Amino acid sequence: MKTGAVICECNPPHAGHAYLLEQIKKESDCVVCLMSGHFVQRGEAAILSPLARAEILLQMGADLVLELPFPYAASSAESFADAGVSILSRLGVTDLWFGSESGDLDSLSQIAVTAQSQAFRAEYAKRVGEGNIGTAALYFQLLSDFCGLQKPLSPNDILAVAYLRAIEKEQSNLMPHAVQRVGADDRDLALEKRKIPSAAALRKAIFEGKTDVLSAFLPDFDNKILQRERDAGRFPASMNFASSAILWGLRQADPKAFELFAEAGGGVGNRLQTSANEAADLETLFSFAATKKYPNARLRRALLFLLTGVKKEDLSISPAYVRLYAANEKGRGFLSSVRKTADIPVVTSNAGVPNFPAARRQEELAEKATSLYALCLPRPTSPAELLRKNPILSEK
């Protein structure tokens, strides 16, 4: 079976995702989405619950939606890509598809080779020691210079390079496919009917109260899902709803422990704590704390990992299991076909989590993330309410 997969956030799902799934479907027997759960790569709460996003993806053409587990889903490009490639390879997926600003697989592959070269790594280590710029920004700025690019790599090209590096490191049989991104740039916050808007623009509009914005840009989209989630007090989710609890937690945290946690070392945790003592809400906290060396995304991830207890070593361990969010008949057929050959278990509830230390640690962190997400809803709920949800099984 030729299985085409995409590693995604879909925060929220939009017409650009529909376009990518359409391209995959043309050349695949089964379309798999490995999707972030309650938190996404920038360290933010997903605006829409994982199950609701998975339900939309089934409508868009996906056959199977699995979770890219926490904390990998909320980590930097390298850990995000490594975890995604590891899971798909161990499941027996044949092809990995990704959106890219350039759409040029040969060029992206050459950039990935450069990133692995001894000369690049030596120069990067030297520059990191100088400490004048954030490590992620430095990495991609230097990579652009080494490859003679006219402008810095765009966000989706950065992830594409990370996927290609992960495939090489994993010695995976995944066949990569780059699809040129259509629509607005990832950082474009404008809503224009003549082109597909960015997810950031859609989130901005949703938080401004423009509730019909997704259906306006997705003509075939079933707006009942959003209305159901809004009526239930689950949409739109944001860490801002939990500002007071988060600020209190950060103010009373032990600064001696900051170095233990992922992304929080090198003075990041201390900077967040100092800013928390001066700020009255999260957005003010990040505006106080952000610098060229500590960009907003790094700060958000550090805060999330401090709140949920994610340590540096947690990101270096391969995912131990993957959770099922949604499947149609074709998706269930794929899972059945790989049941005996897959090197990673697919679970539908915590009862199915394997009983060994790495799996239990991943489950512990996932439960902490779910507990935090329960406070990030417009109508806060108990973590148990979210954990009780069953996967969506479609007959179509």
Side-chain angles (χ1 to χ4, degrees), residues 16 61 204 256 279 338 350:
K204 179 175 181 289
K256 295 176 183 176
V338 300
N350 283 0

Side-chain angles (χ1 to χ4, degrees), residues 266-281:
V268 174
N270 299 88
R271 188 167 187 85
L272 283 168
Q273 188 173 60
T274 299
S275 299
N277 286 322
E278 300 174 3
D281 56 62

Side-chain angles (χ1 to χ4, degrees), residues 6 49 55 112 122 138 161 169 176 185 215 226 228 251 272 275 277 287 312 328 335 343:
V6 59
S49 76
E55 189 176 358
L138 169 62
V161 169
K169 285 191 292 183
D185 180 85
S215 55
L226 286 191
R228 180 195 71 205
R251 288 170 183 173
L272 283 168
S275 299
N277 286 322
S287 69
K312 298 173 185 178
N328 60 19
L335 288 179
D343 191 31

